[in-house]
Each structure stands twice: as structure tokens, then as C-alpha cells.
Amino acid sequence: VALFAASGFCAIAYEIIWSRLLEQLLGAMIVAFSVLLGVNLLALALGSRWASSRADRHPRPLSAAAWALTASGVAAALPLALLPWWMRALARWFPRDPAELRTGPWPIWRDAFLHATFLEGMACLLMGAALPYLAAAGVPARDAGRASGRLYAVNTLAGVAGSALTGFALLPALGVQ
């Protein structure tokens, strides 16, 4: 239950941080947030799908979940440390051409997708992979519906707490940097 809560708290806290960072990289754009959320949900689903066939057979699902969540923390921090390199690489791969501003929204969508994937892709894959392992460890077969509901309620409520604490306390106190 504690890992499910930590997962929900961190997932939404990360999302708030990533959205603020993406706002700095691309400007305050709805497109950027939409793409960020889409990449987040897709990566969570892919990670969950990958792990779902393995979690029930794993001899120690709680250990696998703890490993995945720890690795997700590293995967969330690493892009922040590599951000200067990423920005230089992106400028080399996709040089800014003033004519691009007249070609429509595609360069913005491309940049939003690349930034979002770089910032959150691996962390979200790992968080998504952790959920089936957590469920395998914490959901007894005889009470699957009720136990799953409780775990996901804890995850969701912790996500609300992560959003509130990050958005209203941590970021204002510490700043995006």
C-alpha cells in the first residue's frame, strides 16, 4: 500500500514538474501539456502491459515493484541532469529555421513530443511496469475487486496530494530550477 501511495504521489508530482519544465522549453502552450500527458499515459500503459504478463509469475513481485519504482526515480532525475546536452543535441538535429514558423504547428508538436519523451518516457514506462507487480503483491485472488479498488484509491489520493504539494508548496518554494 505504501509503494502504491508513493507511486501515485511521485507520478503526479513528476507530471507537474515536467509540465512546468516543458512550459519553460516551449512556452505556455496547451499543445505541450497535451503531448506531455499523452506520452505519460502511453508510457504508463506500455510499461503496465509489458509487466502484466510477468507479474503474476514473479517469485517476489514486491521486490520487482520496488526496483522499478527506484529506477523510475533515477529515470526522472537523469533527463534533468542531461537537459543542457539534450537542448544542444536537439538544436543540431532540428536547426531552427525562421521559415518553420510559417509551416504550421508541426515543429511545435515535434518538439513537444521529443521533449516529453526525453523528460518522462523511461520514468513512466518504469512506473507503469511497477503497477502490475504491486497488484500481484497486494491483491489476493479471492478479493481481487475490492483489494484492487483500495489500492488504486490510495494511488489516486496520493496523486492528488503529490499534485497539491508540488504545485502549491515545492515549486513555489524551490522554483523550477
Side-chain angles (χ1 to χ4, degrees):
V1 171
L3 283 176
F4 240 90
S7 170
F9 183 94
C10 290
I12 302 302
Y14 290 155
E15 187 70 15
I16 298 293
I17 292 167
W18 289 323
S19 67
R20 297 286 170 85
L21 185 57
L22 200 56
E23 181 180 303
Q24 299 298 313
L25 298 174
L26 293 174
M29 301 177 65
I30 293 172
V31 167
F33 181 74
S34 299
V35 171
L36 185 76
L37 184 58
V39 168
N40 183 297
L41 295 174
L42 180 63
L44 285 172
L46 290 173
S48 233
R49 176 71 179 122
W50 176 84
S52 65
S53 62
R54 294 160 178 76
D56 287 334
R57 296 174 296 175
H58 198 281
R60 295 179 34 207
L62 199 55
S63 294
W67 178 90
L69 289 174
T70 300
S72 76
V74 172
L78 193 58
L80 301 178
L82 295 174
L83 196 57
W85 168 85
W86 170 251
M87 296 303 290
R88 287 189 305 274
L90 201 59
R92 276 193 313 276
W93 298 333
F94 300 101
R96 282 280 172 226
D97 180 358
E100 232 180 21
L101 298 174
R102 293 186 297 270
T103 62
W106 299 114
I108 295 167
W109 282 86
R110 176 200 64 215
D111 289 353
F113 176 76
L114 291 172
H115 286 316
T117 302
F118 174 75
L119 290 172
E120 68 177 344
M122 185 54 68
C124 290
L125 277 170
L126 290 163
M127 282 188 282
L131 292 179
Y133 288 108
L134 288 169
V139 176
R142 69 187 185 297
D143 193 25
R146 182 171 289 132
S148 294
R150 268 190 244 121
L151 285 176
Y152 281 102
V154 165
N155 183 271
T156 301
L157 291 174
V160 170
S163 171
L165 184 64
T166 303
F168 296 115
L170 293 177
L171 283 175
L174 301 175
V176 174
Q177 298 79 11

